[in-house]
Amino acid sequence: MIIATDMPEVAKCVISQCAYNANDACHARAITIGEGADPDCDTFFDNASHTSSSRTAGVGACKIDDCTHNQDFECTADSIQVGSKGNSVNCLTYTKH
Ligand code: SF4
Ligand code: SF4
C-alpha cells in the first residue's frame, strides 16, 4: 500500500554530489533532517550515479527539536532549503528557539 501524507516540501537543495539531487532539487521521496545535535540532512548519499526521478522530496522527519518549526519531531515549515554550512549538509531553514 502506498501511503499519501502531507509533508513540507524540500524547495531547493544545492548538494549536487548527492544521489538524490538533480538540477538543484531533491528527488528522494522523503528526507530526514537531524544527525546528532545538528540539522544535517541524514538522507545525504554521496554517490556517482543519480536518481532519475522528477518528484519533489518532502521532509519525512526531523530530529531537531530546538528548531521553531519542529513539533513532535516533525517539521511544520511550509518548505525548507538544504545547502552546505561549513563541512556539513544542513537544513538552511533551521531557526533556533
Ligand atoms: S536534501 Fe539531502 S537527500 Fe535531498 S538531495 Fe539534498 S542532500 Fe541529498
Ligand atoms: S526547518 Fe527546522 S524543523 Fe524543519 S527540517 Fe529544518 S531544522 Fe527541522
Side-chain angles (χ1 to χ4, degrees):
M1 179 174 152
I2 299 291
I3 298 171
T5 182
D6 291 332
M7 290 182 280
E9 180 181 82
V10 182
K12 186 175 183 182
C13 175
V14 297
I15 308 298
S16 59
Q17 69 271 34
C18 176
Y20 297 106
N21 195 287
N23 304 316
D24 283 352
C26 179
H27 304 290
R29 184 168 288 163
I31 67 165
T32 297
I33 295 292
E35 215 190 333
D38 297 322
D40 291 355
C41 180
D42 208 10
T43 310
F44 169 64
F45 177 34
D46 193 342
N47 198 43
S49 79
H50 286 238
T51 179
S52 57
S53 170
S54 57
R55 77 164 74 86
T56 302
V59 183
C62 175
K63 303 176 217 168
I64 307 300
D65 67 350
D66 75 346
C67 175
T68 55
H69 299 293
N70 196 294
Q71 208 172 357
D72 285 341
F73 310 105
E74 307 285 1
C75 180
T76 63
D78 285 341
S79 66
I80 71 160
Q81 298 204 10
V82 177
S84 56
K85 217 172 183 187
N87 286 334
S88 57
V89 176
N90 262 219
C91 172
L92 301 179
T93 311
Y94 168 66
T95 310
K96 193 173 167 52
H97 261 302

